[in-house]
Amino acid sequence: MSSARATRWSLPALCAALLACQPPAADRAMPPKQLYFPSGMFFAQPEPISAPRSGALFVASSNFDRRYDDGRMTGIDISALSCSVAPAGSCLPDFPANVMSRYPDGNDFPLESLGDGAIDEKVLASLAGEMDGIETTGGVFRLLVPSRAENSLLQVMDATGHRITCRGEGATDDCSVGAIPLEANRTTTSGVPRVPAPFSVSISRPDGDAFVTSLQFADSPAATGQNPAVFTVKLNALNPQVTDDSFINLGNIRSQSVAMGSRYAFMTGAQGLALRLIDRQSAKRVINAAIELDFNLLETRGLALAGDQSEVFVAARSPDALLQLHVRGAATDTPSFSLAHAELLPLGASQVRVMDKPSGGHVAFVTSLGSQSFDAVGQTQGSLVVYDDEAAQQVAILDGFGLQPYGLALQPIPPGVRLYVGLFGEGRIAVVDIPDLDRPEDARLVARLGTSHVCVTNPSSRGCAALNP
């Protein structure tokens, strides 16, 4: 692989130029069945798991460069893509797919679109971040999606199967209509509390408590640059109401990603507050985990909490590393942390997910954006890292399979898992199978969903000349 360049994408970067971007003057709708800079992802699988092919994948297209008027939420019926119902050569192989077998047309990864299966599409505000969902009743999922565009919206929708219903007042096919504006106080005298640039949301199960993070401080009064404060928002996903009492002051250091525990919301950040805990029983109580005492880092990105809350896995930047932290007292007044292991990662460590192994221990999955450079055959340095905490090392690394892997959604299929990896830089989804979590080193790329948008965003890219004469 080629050496990394200093310049690279940073999806949640606090870039004034990005936030200042305005939509195009003329109406320009995103093409149908197109993913465009996918960011948030969620796999809705009703409990109990009824069949390996059950469930729906939801993908938030962020419209990162504001090429189109709006972003989009896409719901994909995974069962409709199964090779048992879809035509050979345009289907998603059943789990666990054998990477060595070929389709009749000789193509290993034939899905160069979202297939002919059932999909649903609804409009979102641009610059969507990390989303989450919770099953409510009768297999219906409530989804929350924050967007950093105008008014810093928190969009609420319900999903039945792959079908999406926008829950905002007056909304039909546009989920930004009637969404919750997290910057409504900007026009007040004080300008606070508010959450500019909301980025990540996590929902506690089964009670529905949720927190939303913020990539920017709120100044007071607004637009003065004075009295900076970073707020988070606490609400309930099942009855999403936001008042001034919903905002919690976290100081002046931004929050990044969030993961919900039984007692605390875990949030990543930067500059001495790389991991904070917000007490859900007393939301004004904020605890600094002080992980910088054990590992020198600049900032943290994604994180995931093990199901038993015994470990938390945190993606660090500068250096890029996965931090495995032992957690004690995760449901008590005095939680404590100790660094168990630090695993160096490829450039651009981003999202983290974790699953329990059938035999004990945990497997963590980390996406790394990589750089914008290419190797001799046009592959990129973006990676998916599979880390086994019992082995205390990465046991598999997939690279060169797509541009800027970022979002992650998991479909548990015991004893294994199917991963959906959002390729932020090319508008597709990579599908990765691990047949048995006790053997996570057997991770394999089995398909890609969607049509690459590289020739739209960069017509001079290799292979685009014929499409753009």
Side-chain angles (χ1 to χ4, degrees):
M1 307 294 286
S2 62
S3 60
R5 287 175 12 186
T7 302
R8 57 189 181 188
W9 287 104
S10 179
L11 176 61
L14 305 184
C15 174
L18 170 64
L19 294 177
C21 284
Q22 297 300 318
D27 290 341
R28 188 169 185 182
M30 192 180 299
K33 292 191 175 184
Q34 173 73 64
L35 305 177
Y36 195 67
F37 291 109
S39 51
M41 297 175 60
F42 179 77
F43 193 88
Q45 188 170 27
E47 294 287 352
I49 299 173
S50 57
R53 293 190 296 272
S54 66
L57 177 66
F58 295 91
V59 183
S61 291
S62 67
N63 190 28
F64 186 74
D65 62 358
R66 308 299 292 268
R67 176 179 297 272
Y68 302 110
D69 293 333
D70 302 285
R72 173 182 288 161
M73 174 63 74
T74 302
I76 304 170
D77 182 0
I78 293 300
S79 63
L81 294 178
S82 169
C83 288
S84 64
V85 296
S90 61
C91 61
L92 185 61
D94 290 344
F95 180 91
N98 182 356
V99 73
M100 299 305 295
S101 63
R102 286 181 174 267
Y103 289 82
D105 61 0
N107 191 344
D108 285 323
F109 312 117
L111 284 179
E112 293 300 322
S113 69
L114 296 181
D116 297 323
I119 69 169
D120 194 17
E121 297 176 323
K122 294 292 188 290
V123 172
L124 288 178
S126 294
L127 306 181
E130 298 172 355
M131 62 184 288
D132 201 5
I134 181 173
E135 186 175 5
T136 57
T137 58
V140 177
F141 281 81
R142 170 60 53 83
L143 307 177
L144 299 182
V145 184
S147 287
R148 288 173 285 157
E150 296 77 12
N151 298 315
S152 295
L153 298 178
L154 180 64
Q155 294 144 117
V156 183
M157 59 208 73
D158 285 341
T160 303
H162 70 287
R163 295 294 180 185
I164 305 162
T165 301
C166 303
R167 303 308 305 177
E169 183 176 354
T172 53
D173 292 333
D174 186 344
C175 292
S176 69
V177 174
I180 301 171
L182 299 182
E183 282 207 273
N185 283 330
R186 172 177 284 276
T187 58
T188 64
T189 302
S190 67
V192 294
R194 70 182 198 274
V195 168
F199 180 68
S200 178
V201 61
S202 181
I203 304 172
S204 174
R205 298 159 181 79
D207 56 60
D209 276 354
F211 278 82
V212 183
T213 66
S214 177
L215 292 179
Q216 280 190 324
F217 66 77
D219 52 1
S220 176
T224 65
Q226 299 176 357
N227 308 308
V230 172
F231 292 89
T232 184
V233 173
K234 180 184 179 184
L235 71 157
N236 191 280
L238 306 178
N239 183 27
Q241 304 291 326
V242 172
T243 68
D244 282 3
D245 291 336
S246 305
F247 293 80
I248 303 165
N249 192 326
L250 299 181
N252 59 5
I253 302 299
R254 66 176 174 83
S255 54
Q256 181 79 30
S257 294
V258 56
M260 297 291 283
S262 62
R263 172 73 182 269
Y264 298 95
F266 293 67
M267 288 187 186
T268 53
Q271 298 173 352
L273 292 172
L275 182 62
R276 280 171 283 194
L277 282 68
I278 294 87
D279 193 340
R280 294 173 54 198
Q281 295 181 6
S282 176
K284 305 297 183 183
R285 180 170 174 254
V286 180
I287 300 172
N288 183 3
I291 63 175
E292 297 90 339
L293 298 178
D294 295 316
F295 191 84
N296 187 20
L297 53 85
L298 181 62
E299 58 182 325
T300 49
R301 296 300 179 100
L303 79 165
L305 186 64
D308 59 6
Q309 302 186 91
S310 63
E311 292 182 319
V312 61
F313 298 87
V314 179
R317 290 275 187 97
S318 298
D320 293 72
L322 177 66
L323 307 183
Q324 176 191 345
L325 305 168
H326 286 324
V327 185
R328 294 178 178 83
T332 70
D333 290 340
T334 56
S336 62
F337 301 84
S338 59
L339 180 62
H341 184 76
E343 183 74 13
L344 293 180
L345 295 172
L347 288 173
S350 295
Q351 286 201 356
V352 185
R353 296 290 184 267
V354 64
M355 286 197 67
D356 296 339
K357 297 170 62 176
S359 62
H362 311 96
V363 179
F365 310 100
V366 189
T367 53
S368 294
L369 288 167
S371 71
Q372 294 184 66
S373 59
F374 295 81
D375 66 11
V377 294
Q379 294 178 331
T380 72
Q381 291 188 330
S383 305
L384 171 70
V385 172
V386 181
Y387 173 82
D388 186 334
D389 68 353
E390 290 189 309
Q393 64 181 7
Q394 51 185 284
V395 294
I397 180 168
L398 277 64
D399 55 17
F401 66 93
L403 181 57
Q404 297 174 293
Y406 180 76
L408 273 174
L410 308 185
Q411 179 186 9
I413 308 176
V417 63
R418 173 163 278 182
L419 289 78
Y420 299 90
V421 185
L423 302 176
F424 181 78
E426 64 178 86
R428 297 199 291 177
I429 306 296
V431 184
V432 174
D433 281 358
I434 298 181
D436 188 342
L437 283 164
D438 280 334
R439 296 183 57 84
E441 64 272 16
D442 290 339
R444 59 192 68 168
L445 175 69
V446 300
R448 295 186 182 94
L449 305 178
T451 303
S452 172
H453 67 220
V454 169
C455 292
V456 174
T457 59
N458 188 8
S460 62
S461 293
R462 179 181 304 176
C464 296
L467 300 176
N468 301 276

PDB file of all heavy atoms in Angstrom, residues 33 39 42 66 75 77 82 91 124 185 198 215-216 240 244 253 276 280 293 323 325 351 370 388 431 450 452:
ATOM      1  N   LYS A  33     -32.320   5.412  -5.506  1.00  0.00           N
ATOM      2  CA  LYS A  33     -31.510   4.214  -5.252  1.00  0.00           C
ATOM      3  C   LYS A  33     -30.019   4.530  -5.228  1.00  0.00           C
ATOM      4  O   LYS A  33     -29.196   3.710  -5.658  1.00  0.00           O
ATOM      5  CB  LYS A  33     -31.811   3.107  -6.264  1.00  0.00           C
ATOM      6  CG  LYS A  33     -33.210   2.515  -6.121  1.00  0.00           C
ATOM      7  CD  LYS A  33     -33.360   1.257  -6.959  1.00  0.00           C
ATOM      8  CE  LYS A  33     -34.708   0.600  -6.729  1.00  0.00           C
ATOM      9  NZ  LYS A  33     -34.859  -0.674  -7.464  1.00  0.00           N
ATOM     10  N   SER A  39     -23.265   7.877   6.200  1.00  0.00           N
ATOM     11  CA  SER A  39     -22.691   8.138   7.530  1.00  0.00           C
ATOM     12  C   SER A  39     -23.342   7.237   8.573  1.00  0.00           C
ATOM     13  O   SER A  39     -22.783   6.239   8.982  1.00  0.00           O
ATOM     14  CB  SER A  39     -22.850   9.617   7.894  1.00  0.00           C
ATOM     15  OG  SER A  39     -24.197  10.040   7.711  1.00  0.00           O
ATOM     16  N   PHE A  42     -27.920   1.624  10.662  1.00  0.00           N
ATOM     17  CA  PHE A  42     -28.572   0.849  11.722  1.00  0.00           C
ATOM     18  C   PHE A  42     -29.220  -0.367  11.095  1.00  0.00           C
ATOM     19  O   PHE A  42     -29.886  -0.256  10.056  1.00  0.00           O
ATOM     20  CB  PHE A  42     -29.612   1.694  12.446  1.00  0.00           C
ATOM     21  CG  PHE A  42     -30.353   0.950  13.539  1.00  0.00           C
ATOM     22  CD1 PHE A  42     -29.737   0.721  14.771  1.00  0.00           C
ATOM     23  CD2 PHE A  42     -31.642   0.483  13.333  1.00  0.00           C
ATOM     24  CE1 PHE A  42     -30.408   0.030  15.775  1.00  0.00           C
ATOM     25  CE2 PHE A  42     -32.313  -0.210  14.341  1.00  0.00           C
ATOM     26  CZ  PHE A  42     -31.691  -0.431  15.552  1.00  0.00           C
ATOM     27  N   ARG A  66     -22.854  18.805  -0.105  1.00  0.00           N
ATOM     28  CA  ARG A  66     -24.027  19.623  -0.413  1.00  0.00           C
ATOM     29  C   ARG A  66     -24.295  19.720  -1.920  1.00  0.00           C
ATOM     30  O   ARG A  66     -24.830  20.709  -2.402  1.00  0.00           O
ATOM     31  CB  ARG A  66     -23.904  21.018   0.206  1.00  0.00           C
ATOM     32  CG  ARG A  66     -23.590  21.044   1.696  1.00  0.00           C
ATOM     33  CD  ARG A  66     -24.660  20.379   2.553  1.00  0.00           C
ATOM     34  NE  ARG A  66     -25.911  21.121   2.545  1.00  0.00           N
ATOM     35  CZ  ARG A  66     -26.233  22.050   3.442  1.00  0.00           C
ATOM     36  NH1 ARG A  66     -25.381  22.357   4.425  1.00  0.00           N
ATOM     37  NH2 ARG A  66     -27.387  22.669   3.386  1.00  0.00           N
ATOM     38  N   GLY A  75     -34.123   2.744   3.451  1.00  0.00           N
ATOM     39  CA  GLY A  75     -34.410   1.470   4.094  1.00  0.00           C
ATOM     40  C   GLY A  75     -34.332   0.357   3.074  1.00  0.00           C
ATOM     41  O   GLY A  75     -34.970   0.429   2.010  1.00  0.00           O
ATOM     42  N   ASP A  77     -34.722  -3.731   2.357  1.00  0.00           N
ATOM     43  CA  ASP A  77     -35.216  -5.037   2.789  1.00  0.00           C
ATOM     44  C   ASP A  77     -34.176  -6.080   2.422  1.00  0.00           C
ATOM     45  O   ASP A  77     -34.031  -6.449   1.254  1.00  0.00           O
ATOM     46  CB  ASP A  77     -36.557  -5.328   2.118  1.00  0.00           C
ATOM     47  CG  ASP A  77     -37.151  -6.660   2.560  1.00  0.00           C
ATOM     48  OD1 ASP A  77     -36.525  -7.355   3.375  1.00  0.00           O
ATOM     49  OD2 ASP A  77     -38.247  -6.998   2.073  1.00  0.00           O
ATOM     50  N   SER A  82     -31.914 -11.589  -1.059  1.00  0.00           N
ATOM     51  CA  SER A  82     -31.407 -12.949  -0.913  1.00  0.00           C
ATOM     52  C   SER A  82     -31.380 -13.681  -2.241  1.00  0.00           C
ATOM     53  O   SER A  82     -32.253 -13.501  -3.098  1.00  0.00           O
ATOM     54  CB  SER A  82     -32.283 -13.726   0.074  1.00  0.00           C
ATOM     55  OG  SER A  82     -31.984 -15.102   0.045  1.00  0.00           O
ATOM     56  N   CYS A  91     -27.756 -10.664  -6.515  1.00  0.00           N
ATOM     57  CA  CYS A  91     -28.334 -10.962  -5.210  1.00  0.00           C
ATOM     58  C   CYS A  91     -27.240 -10.987  -4.148  1.00  0.00           C
ATOM     59  O   CYS A  91     -26.048 -11.008  -4.448  1.00  0.00           O
ATOM     60  CB  CYS A  91     -29.072 -12.300  -5.230  1.00  0.00           C
ATOM     61  SG  CYS A  91     -28.016 -13.722  -5.635  1.00  0.00           S
ATOM     62  N   LEU A 124     -33.831  13.554   4.289  1.00  0.00           N
ATOM     63  CA  LEU A 124     -33.239  13.983   5.556  1.00  0.00           C
ATOM     64  C   LEU A 124     -32.562  15.330   5.344  1.00  0.00           C
ATOM     65  O   LEU A 124     -32.187  15.679   4.221  1.00  0.00           O
ATOM     66  CB  LEU A 124     -32.174  12.991   6.044  1.00  0.00           C
ATOM     67  CG  LEU A 124     -32.585  11.641   6.585  1.00  0.00           C
ATOM     68  CD1 LEU A 124     -31.331  10.849   6.956  1.00  0.00           C
ATOM     69  CD2 LEU A 124     -33.498  11.767   7.789  1.00  0.00           C
ATOM     70  N   ASN A 185     -32.802  27.961  20.435  1.00  0.00           N
ATOM     71  CA  ASN A 185     -32.507  29.077  21.341  1.00  0.00           C
ATOM     72  C   ASN A 185     -31.526  30.094  20.753  1.00  0.00           C
ATOM     73  O   ASN A 185     -31.195  31.080  21.415  1.00  0.00           O
ATOM     74  CB  ASN A 185     -31.961  28.550  22.673  1.00  0.00           C
ATOM     75  CG  ASN A 185     -33.067  27.996  23.549  1.00  0.00           C
ATOM     76  OD1 ASN A 185     -34.200  28.451  23.478  1.00  0.00           O
ATOM     77  ND2 ASN A 185     -32.735  27.019  24.376  1.00  0.00           N
ATOM     78  N   PRO A 198     -25.085  18.712  15.973  1.00  0.00           N
ATOM     79  CA  PRO A 198     -25.301  17.420  16.637  1.00  0.00           C
ATOM     80  C   PRO A 198     -24.762  16.299  15.761  1.00  0.00           C
ATOM     81  O   PRO A 198     -24.946  16.313  14.533  1.00  0.00           O
ATOM     82  CB  PRO A 198     -26.822  17.346  16.778  1.00  0.00           C
ATOM     83  CG  PRO A 198     -27.343  18.187  15.657  1.00  0.00           C
ATOM     84  CD  PRO A 198     -26.350  19.307  15.505  1.00  0.00           C
ATOM     85  N   LEU A 215     -20.622  18.605  18.206  1.00  0.00           N
ATOM     86  CA  LEU A 215     -19.263  18.828  17.732  1.00  0.00           C
ATOM     87  C   LEU A 215     -18.786  20.260  17.918  1.00  0.00           C
ATOM     88  O   LEU A 215     -17.622  20.555  17.675  1.00  0.00           O
ATOM     89  CB  LEU A 215     -19.163  18.470  16.250  1.00  0.00           C
ATOM     90  CG  LEU A 215     -19.313  16.997  15.878  1.00  0.00           C
ATOM     91  CD1 LEU A 215     -19.215  16.832  14.375  1.00  0.00           C
ATOM     92  CD2 LEU A 215     -18.276  16.141  16.575  1.00  0.00           C
ATOM     93  N   GLN A 216     -19.670  21.157  18.329  1.00  0.00           N
ATOM     94  CA  GLN A 216     -19.300  22.560  18.462  1.00  0.00           C
ATOM     95  C   GLN A 216     -19.802  23.116  19.780  1.00  0.00           C
ATOM     96  O   GLN A 216     -20.806  22.644  20.323  1.00  0.00           O
ATOM     97  CB  GLN A 216     -19.902  23.402  17.331  1.00  0.00           C
ATOM     98  CG  GLN A 216     -19.170  23.334  16.029  1.00  0.00           C
ATOM     99  CD  GLN A 216     -19.689  24.388  15.052  1.00  0.00           C
ATOM    100  OE1 GLN A 216     -20.876  24.675  15.033  1.00  0.00           O
ATOM    101  NE2 GLN A 216     -18.808  24.942  14.256  1.00  0.00           N
ATOM    102  N   PRO A 240     -40.149  11.651  22.267  1.00  0.00           N
ATOM    103  CA  PRO A 240     -39.070  12.631  22.084  1.00  0.00           C
ATOM    104  C   PRO A 240     -39.537  14.082  22.256  1.00  0.00           C
ATOM    105  O   PRO A 240     -40.091  14.689  21.334  1.00  0.00           O
ATOM    106  CB  PRO A 240     -38.597  12.368  20.657  1.00  0.00           C
ATOM    107  CG  PRO A 240     -39.783  11.775  19.971  1.00  0.00           C
ATOM    108  CD  PRO A 240     -40.547  11.012  21.005  1.00  0.00           C
ATOM    109  N   ASP A 244     -35.649  23.227  27.624  1.00  0.00           N
ATOM    110  CA  ASP A 244     -34.368  23.746  28.110  1.00  0.00           C
ATOM    111  C   ASP A 244     -33.774  22.841  29.177  1.00  0.00           C
ATOM    112  O   ASP A 244     -32.552  22.763  29.326  1.00  0.00           O
ATOM    113  CB  ASP A 244     -34.542  25.161  28.667  1.00  0.00           C
ATOM    114  CG  ASP A 244     -34.620  26.205  27.555  1.00  0.00           C
ATOM    115  OD1 ASP A 244     -34.598  25.812  26.372  1.00  0.00           O
ATOM    116  OD2 ASP A 244     -34.713  27.400  27.876  1.00  0.00           O
ATOM    117  N   ILE A 253     -15.394  21.526  26.007  1.00  0.00           N
ATOM    118  CA  ILE A 253     -14.755  20.552  25.122  1.00  0.00           C
ATOM    119  C   ILE A 253     -15.834  19.748  24.426  1.00  0.00           C
ATOM    120  O   ILE A 253     -16.726  19.179  25.070  1.00  0.00           O
ATOM    121  CB  ILE A 253     -13.817  19.606  25.898  1.00  0.00           C
ATOM    122  CG1 ILE A 253     -12.745  20.402  26.638  1.00  0.00           C
ATOM    123  CG2 ILE A 253     -13.182  18.599  24.947  1.00  0.00           C
ATOM    124  CD1 ILE A 253     -11.848  21.212  25.746  1.00  0.00           C
ATOM    125  N   ARG A 276     -15.858  10.811  28.814  1.00  0.00           N
ATOM    126  CA  ARG A 276     -16.691  11.319  29.903  1.00  0.00           C
ATOM    127  C   ARG A 276     -17.866  10.388  30.140  1.00  0.00           C
ATOM    128  O   ARG A 276     -18.345   9.737  29.206  1.00  0.00           O
ATOM    129  CB  ARG A 276     -17.228  12.717  29.574  1.00  0.00           C
ATOM    130  CG  ARG A 276     -16.262  13.830  29.811  1.00  0.00           C
ATOM    131  CD  ARG A 276     -16.782  15.146  29.261  1.00  0.00           C
ATOM    132  NE  ARG A 276     -16.644  15.211  27.808  1.00  0.00           N
ATOM    133  CZ  ARG A 276     -16.760  16.313  27.087  1.00  0.00           C
ATOM    134  NH1 ARG A 276     -17.040  17.457  27.678  1.00  0.00           N
ATOM    135  NH2 ARG A 276     -16.601  16.300  25.790  1.00  0.00           N
ATOM    136  N   ARG A 280     -26.940   8.953  34.300  1.00  0.00           N
ATOM    137  CA  ARG A 280     -28.330   8.996  33.857  1.00  0.00           C
ATOM    138  C   ARG A 280     -29.289   9.205  35.022  1.00  0.00           C
ATOM    139  O   ARG A 280     -30.419   9.655  34.818  1.00  0.00           O
ATOM    140  CB  ARG A 280     -28.683   7.713  33.110  1.00  0.00           C
ATOM    141  CG  ARG A 280     -27.918   7.557  31.790  1.00  0.00           C
ATOM    142  CD  ARG A 280     -28.160   6.199  31.172  1.00  0.00           C
ATOM    143  NE  ARG A 280     -29.588   5.941  31.012  1.00  0.00           N
ATOM    144  CZ  ARG A 280     -30.090   4.722  30.826  1.00  0.00           C
ATOM    145  NH1 ARG A 280     -29.278   3.665  30.791  1.00  0.00           N
ATOM    146  NH2 ARG A 280     -31.392   4.566  30.671  1.00  0.00           N
ATOM    147  N   LEU A 293      -4.261   9.702  31.310  1.00  0.00           N
ATOM    148  CA  LEU A 293      -3.201   9.394  32.271  1.00  0.00           C
ATOM    149  C   LEU A 293      -2.458   8.123  31.902  1.00  0.00           C
ATOM    150  O   LEU A 293      -1.303   7.934  32.285  1.00  0.00           O
ATOM    151  CB  LEU A 293      -3.798   9.264  33.675  1.00  0.00           C
ATOM    152  CG  LEU A 293      -4.470  10.521  34.252  1.00  0.00           C
ATOM    153  CD1 LEU A 293      -5.063  10.213  35.622  1.00  0.00           C
ATOM    154  CD2 LEU A 293      -3.460  11.663  34.343  1.00  0.00           C
ATOM    155  N   LEU A 323      -8.291   1.466  22.131  1.00  0.00           N
ATOM    156  CA  LEU A 323      -8.028   1.317  23.557  1.00  0.00           C
ATOM    157  C   LEU A 323      -9.057   0.370  24.162  1.00  0.00           C
ATOM    158  O   LEU A 323     -10.266   0.600  24.049  1.00  0.00           O
ATOM    159  CB  LEU A 323      -8.083   2.668  24.261  1.00  0.00           C
ATOM    160  CG  LEU A 323      -7.209   3.787  23.682  1.00  0.00           C
ATOM    161  CD1 LEU A 323      -7.319   5.036  24.544  1.00  0.00           C
ATOM    162  CD2 LEU A 323      -5.765   3.337  23.544  1.00  0.00           C
ATOM    163  N   LEU A 325     -10.438  -0.854  27.578  1.00  0.00           N
ATOM    164  CA  LEU A 325     -10.450  -0.428  28.967  1.00  0.00           C
ATOM    165  C   LEU A 325     -11.304  -1.362  29.798  1.00  0.00           C
ATOM    166  O   LEU A 325     -12.465  -1.636  29.453  1.00  0.00           O
ATOM    167  CB  LEU A 325     -11.010   0.990  29.094  1.00  0.00           C
ATOM    168  CG  LEU A 325     -10.321   2.080  28.258  1.00  0.00           C
ATOM    169  CD1 LEU A 325     -11.160   3.349  28.266  1.00  0.00           C
ATOM    170  CD2 LEU A 325      -8.930   2.357  28.797  1.00  0.00           C
ATOM    171  N   GLN A 351     -15.329   4.444  13.602  1.00  0.00           N
ATOM    172  CA  GLN A 351     -16.408   3.843  14.377  1.00  0.00           C
ATOM    173  C   GLN A 351     -15.985   2.509  14.970  1.00  0.00           C
ATOM    174  O   GLN A 351     -15.104   1.824  14.441  1.00  0.00           O
ATOM    175  CB  GLN A 351     -17.659   3.669  13.526  1.00  0.00           C
ATOM    176  CG  GLN A 351     -18.392   4.972  13.253  1.00  0.00           C
ATOM    177  CD  GLN A 351     -19.840   4.748  12.862  1.00  0.00           C
ATOM    178  OE1 GLN A 351     -20.327   3.630  12.716  1.00  0.00           O
ATOM    179  NE2 GLN A 351     -20.556   5.849  12.684  1.00  0.00           N
ATOM    180  N   GLY A 370      -8.573   5.788   6.505  1.00  0.00           N
ATOM    181  CA  GLY A 370      -7.380   5.792   5.680  1.00  0.00           C
ATOM    182  C   GLY A 370      -7.100   7.181   5.151  1.00  0.00           C
ATOM    183  O   GLY A 370      -7.489   8.198   5.713  1.00  0.00           O
ATOM    184  N   ASP A 388      -9.706  -9.180  18.696  1.00  0.00           N
ATOM    185  CA  ASP A 388     -10.138 -10.198  19.665  1.00  0.00           C
ATOM    186  C   ASP A 388      -9.513  -9.866  21.012  1.00  0.00           C
ATOM    187  O   ASP A 388      -8.286  -9.873  21.146  1.00  0.00           O
ATOM    188  CB  ASP A 388      -9.693 -11.585  19.184  1.00  0.00           C
ATOM    189  CG  ASP A 388     -10.231 -12.722  20.045  1.00  0.00           C
ATOM    190  OD1 ASP A 388     -10.510 -12.500  21.235  1.00  0.00           O
ATOM    191  OD2 ASP A 388     -10.368 -13.840  19.514  1.00  0.00           O
ATOM    192  N   VAL A 431     -20.224  -5.672   2.381  1.00  0.00           N
ATOM    193  CA  VAL A 431     -20.830  -6.707   3.224  1.00  0.00           C
ATOM    194  C   VAL A 431     -19.741  -7.704   3.597  1.00  0.00           C
ATOM    195  O   VAL A 431     -19.069  -8.269   2.716  1.00  0.00           O
ATOM    196  CB  VAL A 431     -21.985  -7.411   2.502  1.00  0.00           C
ATOM    197  CG1 VAL A 431     -22.667  -8.418   3.427  1.00  0.00           C
ATOM    198  CG2 VAL A 431     -23.004  -6.386   2.002  1.00  0.00           C
ATOM    199  N   GLY A 450     -24.815  -1.007  -3.838  1.00  0.00           N
ATOM    200  CA  GLY A 450     -24.850   0.377  -4.273  1.00  0.00           C
ATOM    201  C   GLY A 450     -23.925   0.660  -5.445  1.00  0.00           C
ATOM    202  O   GLY A 450     -23.054  -0.132  -5.793  1.00  0.00           O
ATOM    203  N   SER A 452     -21.097   3.214  -7.028  1.00  0.00           N
ATOM    204  CA  SER A 452     -20.084   4.164  -6.579  1.00  0.00           C
ATOM    205  C   SER A 452     -20.401   5.567  -7.089  1.00  0.00           C
ATOM    206  O   SER A 452     -20.807   5.762  -8.232  1.00  0.00           O
ATOM    207  CB  SER A 452     -18.707   3.737  -7.082  1.00  0.00           C
ATOM    208  OG  SER A 452     -17.733   4.740  -6.807  1.00  0.00           O
TER     209      SER A 452
END
